[in-house]
Amino acid sequence: MVAISDSLTWQLVGQNNSFMKKRNGRSSRTGAVRFSSEPGNVASLSTFKFSGIANSKATDFKVGTDAKGNTFPVMLKKTAKGGLKEIPLNKNFRGAVKTINSQNQRVDLSSAVKAKYDGIYKANMVKKSLKKKTVIKAGRN
């Protein structure tokens, strides 16, 4: 496989790829928004900064299961050879955030990476019934 630069990769796949979701605005003021569902994109925005395809140092999360069927978050990190390294985050929240800080290759995306992990952690806690869903009341009742 030929190694090409990140900027050239973005020029090739930036305007149109299979992961892009284009949403038009409702008026001329709002404009169109381009989202992306590609692996490694922590903010789900179709920009060079957040792209998991065009950046050689990308971080992503998925949910893994162990032999007993318990679920836990797993951090995916691109390696120098082009593969993915899986780092299980089955610790408490503070320990997992320390691991994320030490393993994160992109300092400019640290807040987005932590926000994505926080969402996965909270969803996992609701699924395990350790935390109840918050009920949003509407109206005066």
Side-chain angles (χ1 to χ4, degrees):
M1 186 171 144
V2 177
I4 59 174
S5 68
D6 294 346
S7 60
L8 179 61
T9 306
W10 178 250
Q11 287 179 355
L12 295 173
V13 300
Q15 294 300 317
N16 195 8
N17 60 41
S18 62
F19 299 107
M20 192 176 301
K21 312 278 189 224
K22 293 182 181 179
R23 299 289 180 243
N24 290 332
R26 295 190 183 269
S27 66
S28 61
R29 285 187 305 166
T30 57
V33 181
R34 295 185 315 176
F35 295 106
S36 179
S37 62
E38 64 193 35
N41 192 332
V42 292
S44 298
L45 293 173
S46 182
T47 60
F48 176 68
K49 178 180 179 180
F50 296 114
S51 177
I53 296 173
N55 288 315
S56 57
K57 296 179 179 180
T59 304
D60 197 14
F61 294 98
K62 74 172 189 174
V63 177
T65 57
D66 59 1
K68 296 179 183 178
N70 298 328
T71 60
F72 58 91
V74 175
M75 182 176 173
L76 300 172
K77 181 175 126 176
K78 276 191 179 178
T79 61
K81 295 181 180 178
L84 289 175
K85 180 180 177 185
E86 292 189 2
I87 303 166
L89 299 172
N90 48 2
K91 307 173 183 95
N92 59 4
F93 187 79
R94 285 185 183 173
V97 169
K98 282 184 183 178
T99 304
I100 290 169
N101 286 339
S102 65
Q103 295 292 326
N104 190 13
Q105 299 171 337
R106 304 262 320 263
V107 180
D108 58 335
L109 296 181
S110 62
S111 61
V113 170
K114 289 177 194 172
K116 186 163 185 176
Y117 173 71
D118 186 41
I120 290 174
Y121 182 80
K122 286 180 182 177
N124 199 16
M125 296 299 276
V126 169
K127 185 177 180 183
K128 289 182 181 179
S129 300
L130 298 175
K131 183 179 177 184
K132 295 184 179 181
K133 288 185 178 179
T134 56
V135 178
I136 300 173
K137 296 182 180 180
R140 294 181 175 212
N141 295 338

